[in-house]
């Protein structure tokens, strides 16, 4: 039997307002973080997560890249558990770029603190020869649910 231990959402924007700070070329931007409570877990702890990021890059002269990275932990103790990306097309017709993702982590190690933290970063990269003004539009959110067997 599976039991849900906790579920959380971190929402930076529902899509109604422009977000700050905006992206800096190639610099990871923390856009979401959740702390999942893990009390009396059974065996086989696993996490399912999903999210969405939207940006505009109307003046992008050549294609860029948007990468999402999800880490377990805080600060220097972070462990990369998921990475996915998409091409941001240099075409106003395809802007804004909406990127949604779903991932999971199996056999999550037990935390001595009773909490497991997931941090989600977005990295926007493009040719540094060009100056690109881009905007984090939203919606921008991250959802995580942690489960275990009884």
């Amino acid at each position: 039997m599976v039991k849900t231990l906790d579920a959380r959402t971190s929402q930076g924007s529902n899509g109604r307002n422009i977000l700050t700070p905006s992206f800096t070329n190639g610099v990871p931007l923390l856009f979401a973080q959740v702390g999942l409570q893990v009390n009396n877990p059974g065996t086989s702890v696993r996490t399912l997560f999903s999210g969405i990021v939207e940006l505009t890059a109307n003046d992008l002269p050549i294609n860029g890249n948007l990468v999402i990275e999800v880490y377990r932990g805080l600060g220097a103790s972070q462990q990369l558990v998921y990475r996915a990306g998409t091409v941001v097309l240099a075409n106003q017709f395809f802007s804004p770029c909406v990127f949604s993702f779903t991932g999971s982590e199996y056999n999550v190690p037990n935390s001595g603190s009773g909490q497991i933290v997931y941090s989600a970063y977005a990295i926007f990269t493009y040719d540094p020869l060009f100056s690109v003004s881009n905007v984090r539009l939203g919606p921008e959110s991250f959802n995580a649910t942690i489960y275990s067997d009884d």
Side-chain angles (χ1 to χ4, degrees), residues 36-61:
L36 299 169
Q37 303 306 307
V38 183
N39 296 314
N40 301 316
T43 58
S44 296
V45 176
R46 54 210 175 270
T47 305
L48 176 65
F49 47 84
S50 63
I52 188 168
V53 173
E54 183 175 352
L55 69 92
T56 182
N58 291 333
D59 56 353
L60 193 64

Side-chain angles (χ1 to χ4, degrees), residues 81-120:
V81 297
Y82 179 83
R83 186 173 201 267
T86 189
V87 174
V88 179
L89 297 175
N91 184 324
Q92 289 182 341
F93 181 75
F94 295 107
S95 188
C97 173
V98 179
F99 185 47
S100 59
F101 60 95
T102 301
S104 58
E105 181 184 25
Y106 289 87
N107 298 320
V108 177
N110 195 2
S111 166
S113 69
Q115 176 173 272
I116 296 176
V117 175
Y118 286 91
S119 304

Side-chain angles (χ1 to χ4, degrees), residues 9-150:
T9 297
S10 175
Q11 186 172 46
S13 168
N14 59 10
R16 293 190 178 129
N17 298 313
I18 293 173
L19 298 163
T20 57
S22 197
F23 291 103
T24 301
N25 190 9
V27 177
L29 176 71
L30 177 68
F31 74 91
Q33 197 166 59
V34 295
L36 299 169
Q37 303 306 307
V38 183
N39 296 314
N40 301 316
T43 58
S44 296
V45 176
R46 54 210 175 270
T47 305
L48 176 65
F49 47 84
S50 63
I52 188 168
V53 173
E54 183 175 352
L55 69 92
T56 182
N58 291 333
D59 56 353
L60 193 64
I62 60 172
N63 292 349
N65 292 293
L66 177 62
V67 172
I68 302 297
E69 294 181 340
V70 177
Y71 291 84
R72 179 181 12 88
L74 291 169
S77 67
Q78 291 184 338
Q79 173 67 46
L80 180 65
V81 297
Y82 179 83
R83 186 173 201 267
T86 189
V87 174
V88 179
L89 297 175
N91 184 324
Q92 289 182 341
F93 181 75
F94 295 107
S95 188
C97 173
V98 179
F99 185 47
S100 59
F101 60 95
T102 301
S104 58
E105 181 184 25
Y106 289 87
N107 298 320
V108 177
N110 195 2
S111 166
S113 69
Q115 176 173 272
I116 296 176
V117 175
Y118 286 91
S119 304
Y121 293 84
I123 307 156
F124 180 48
T125 58
Y126 51 88
D127 189 326
L129 296 175
F130 302 102
S131 175
V132 175
S133 62
N134 57 81
V135 178
R136 293 168 57 205
L137 294 176
E140 196 171 273
S141 62
F142 179 70
N143 312 292
T145 306
I146 194 161
Y147 305 92
S148 74
D149 295 333
D150 280 336

